[in-house]
Amino acid sequence: MHRFGEATRRVRIRRFASNASSYRVLVLGGGAGGQAVSSALSRRLGKGAVGVVEPASVHYYQPMWTFVGAGAKRFEESRKDMSDVMSSGVDWIKTAVTQFEPEKNRVATQDGKTISYEYLVVALGIQLDFHKVKGLAECVGKDGVSSNYSANTVRMTWKFLEDFKGGEALFTFPNTPIKCAGAPQKIMYLADDLWRKKGMRGNVNISYYSSLPVIFGAKKYAATLNQVAKCKDVNLNFRHNLVEVKGKSKEAIFENLDTQEKKTVKYDFMHVTPPMSPPDILKGSPLSDAVGWVDVDKETLQHKKYPNVFGIGDCTNVPTSKTAAAVAGQSGVLRENLLAAMRGQALTQKYDGYTSCPLPTSYGKLVLAEFDFNGEPLETFPVNQGKERRPFYFMKKDMMPFLYWNLLLKGRWKGPKMMRTLAHLGMNKR
Ligand SMILES: Cc1cc2nc3c(=O)[nH]c(=O)nc-3n(C[C@H](O)[C@H](O)[C@H](O)COP(=O)(O)OP(=O)(O)OC[C@H]3O[C@@H](n4cnc5c(N)ncnc54)[C@H](O)[C@@H]3O)c2cc1C
């Protein structure tokens, strides 16, 4: 019997006979954060104690999409059936959550059911808002416009890059928080390298349009990336937000965020990073802050108002860069704090803001940015990670997927803190 077939048989998909059911821990979302937490907690609390509400049939390893868009990985390698990643110890409730009632310790779901809980973990990810840029939803995936951010469009990036005959190539960064803030420029560096290898870079004008005032938030890595962009002859345009795409005439309209002036730029290829926001069901919910992010303490990950509610990953207002690496760092903290809360003990684990952004700068080189809440480096290896390095590229491309599928999703990878201490022979301060 095929290994995945076996896993599929073991996962229990709950379809409730009555309209109500109850769990010790209910996890909302079966993405990176939901899987990491639910797997680990089900091992500690036993079978049937943890329920996961997740409507999707497929789980994607999204960090691979940069390489899929650049033709260095196949799309199929980034996906697995949800039943193959869901722990056999949890009940998978295959529907979407539609309403929160934290005063009554229960949620409502799309199939008209109510689920009660003792503890709730919210791991709903971030929403892609292609529709917020005029004309974008209609043309993304067609006529030279692509985005690595969606499973529906990532394969078109590679097709357009490969078929490109030269001209204007644009890469954008929106005026909202996004997941993996390095991804909008990663694909640009790989595209540059591809076109150089094909001997056609002289026919291409590459421009980066970002809403941010700088190339990257963490200063140490920004210094390297400014240099990389310069060497690659990339035109950098900061404080520019994409507000409209005219697919037929291949024109992108940007607003200068300082002067509000609009400028129209012709393109032959454009990689768009869409605006993003908290999932609609969180906006205005009792669990969310004024914007819609789940309102948690940035260190304990416990909800600021409801002590039996915790949040993890992209859907929270934890002020760090939204990545799977951050999810790893948060998952161990959340798990231990939630178990402590169950025992009536103080929450002692503190998340330090650890996040990571591996930035490939060509096919074969990568800057491994790792930093904390303040953008201060929290580097695992005892070398200068702000330099482009070859081993990091292969670590990201070939080792990270193994770590994600086999350790992170199973709740066995809490980030590289221990590795960092070992690699620095215990001499590191954090
Ligand atoms: C192109 C790209 C490149 C990236 N590169 C990197 C990288 O190099 N390194 C890195 O660490 N991270 C990277 N990331 C970011 C990383 O993938 C995310 O930060 C990570 O997946 C966040 O995990 P999460 O659990 O918060 O959200 P997700 O993994 O997105 O999971 C959210 C889950 O919630 C489910 N859900 C949504 N609505 C509902 C509902 N109403 N009810 C129930 N379930 C619901 C969804 O179906 C989904 O399964 C990248 C992402 C992209 C797109």
Side-chain angles (χ1 to χ4, degrees):
M1 162 75 67
H2 189 275
R3 189 166 61 87
F4 295 153
E6 237 172 81
T8 309
R9 281 196 295 123
R10 281 203 311 268
V11 173
R12 206 156 54 128
I13 303 183
R14 268 315 271 267
R15 302 191 199 283
F16 301 116
S18 74
N19 272 348
S21 60
S22 180
Y23 288 94
R24 287 200 77 190
V25 181
L26 186 65
V27 178
L28 305 179
Q35 294 298 341
V37 169
S38 61
S39 304
L41 285 176
S42 74
R43 278 196 300 276
R44 298 281 279 271
L45 300 173
K47 221 175 166 72
V50 181
V52 180
V53 182
E54 168 59 68
S57 304
V58 174
H59 179 109
Y60 290 105
Y61 173 43
Q62 301 167 47
M64 193 182 276
W65 288 348
T66 293
F67 287 129
V68 173
K73 287 278 184 189
R74 286 178 304 113
F75 177 67
E76 289 67 32
E77 293 176 75
S78 74
R79 57 161 287 162
K80 282 192 182 182
D81 287 347
M82 193 61 79
S83 53
D84 292 336
V85 296
M86 198 71 76
S87 157
S88 59
V90 308
D91 281 353
W92 174 17
I93 304 145
K94 194 174 181 318
T95 182
V97 65
T98 49
Q99 208 185 332
F100 307 92
E101 291 184 86
E103 305 288 353
K104 294 182 176 161
N105 296 326
R106 66 186 196 195
V107 300
T109 56
Q110 202 164 43
D111 54 4
K113 308 275 165 60
T114 301
I115 312 172
S116 309
Y117 55 80
E118 286 176 35
Y119 288 86
L120 183 72
V121 177
V122 190
L124 291 170
I126 193 169
Q127 178 174 296
L128 305 178
D129 291 332
F130 283 102
H131 63 280
K132 286 189 181 160
V133 175
K134 192 173 169 197
L136 177 58
E138 293 76 32
C139 67
V140 65
K142 291 185 280 199
D143 300 330
V145 181
S146 78
S147 180
N148 284 353
Y149 275 85
S150 161
N152 300 327
T153 54
V154 58
R155 281 165 287 187
M156 294 314 288
T157 304
W158 177 233
K159 181 171 170 28
F160 295 148
L161 292 186
E162 233 198 347
D163 293 351
F164 198 55
K165 300 280 179 283
E168 294 293 328
L170 312 185
F171 296 81
T172 73
F173 188 117
N175 191 21
T176 64
I178 63 169
K179 51 185 154 188
C180 193
Q185 60 188 295
K186 295 176 190 182
I187 187 63
M188 177 171 72
Y189 301 138
L190 293 171
D192 163 87
D193 197 29
L194 175 76
W195 294 328
R196 276 177 204 274
K197 287 192 164 84
K198 285 183 150 189
M200 54 179 279
R201 181 62 178 88
N203 306 332
V204 186
N205 196 26
I206 297 184
S207 301
Y208 185 57
Y209 281 89
S210 172
S211 295
L212 301 178
V214 290
I215 196 161
F216 197 72
K219 275 195 185 132
K220 168 170 180 172
Y221 310 104
T224 309
L225 295 170
N226 275 318
Q227 209 48 42
V228 168
K230 194 170 171 197
C231 291
K232 288 180 176 288
D233 200 15
V234 169
N235 308 304
L236 296 176
N237 302 272
F238 296 120
R239 302 286 293 150
H240 278 77
N241 184 34
L242 179 68
V243 290
E244 186 176 350
V245 184
K246 294 183 178 171
K248 279 206 180 112
S249 53
K250 293 199 163 188
E251 288 173 310
I253 297 159
F254 293 92
E255 181 182 14
N256 181 319
L257 294 170
D258 296 322
T259 63
Q260 277 69 55
E261 269 169 46
K262 291 200 177 143
K263 100 172 179 189
T264 300
V265 184
K266 279 272 195 190
Y267 66 83
D268 297 288
F269 166 79
M270 176 161 64
H271 179 270
V272 178
T273 300
M276 300 181 204
S277 67
D280 283 345
I281 49 152
L282 282 173
K283 290 174 191 137
S285 96
L287 295 181
S288 308
D289 66 12
V291 181
W293 307 110
V294 181
D295 195 13
V296 295
D297 179 277
K298 68 175 189 173
E299 290 182 330
T300 64
L301 307 177
Q302 185 179 42
H303 196 271
K304 286 184 187 153
K305 182 166 174 204
Y306 302 102
N308 64 337
V309 177
F310 289 77
I312 186 167
D314 295 354
C315 68
T316 69
N317 60 4
V318 173
T320 195
S321 181
K322 295 179 186 299
T323 64
V327 162
Q330 293 166 11
S331 64
V333 171
L334 190 157
R335 182 184 74 203
E336 291 311 319
N337 282 343
L338 190 150
L339 290 169
M342 275 182 160
R343 293 189 296 262
Q345 294 169 346
L347 313 193
T348 53
Q349 297 297 307
K350 289 187 175 170
Y351 173 56
D352 56 12
Y354 173 81
T355 191
S356 167
C357 189
L359 293 126
T361 50
S362 66
Y363 292 88
K365 279 191 187 160
L366 184 141
V367 173
L368 183 54
E370 294 186 290
F371 48 97
D372 66 8
F373 281 133
N374 304 315
E376 291 300 323
L378 258 185
E379 299 184 345
T380 303
F381 302 97
V383 294
N384 178 6
Q385 292 183 198
K387 254 182 90 173
E388 299 172 82
R389 290 181 188 275
R390 218 173 153 68
F392 288 159
Y393 179 85
F394 293 100
M395 189 178 85
K396 160 76 180 155
K397 184 165 97 56
D398 302 322
M399 284 169 61
M400 297 283 205
F402 177 88
L403 190 123
Y404 182 86
W405 296 119
N406 298 292
L407 298 178
L408 175 63
L409 294 190
K410 294 185 177 6
R412 297 188 191 279
W413 173 250
K414 298 183 285 178
K417 198 169 188 168
M418 196 182 287
M419 259 173 76
R420 187 161 68 235
T421 306
L422 286 173
H424 289 84
L425 303 171
M427 310 284 273
N428 56 319
K429 292 200 185 94
R430 295 179 305 158

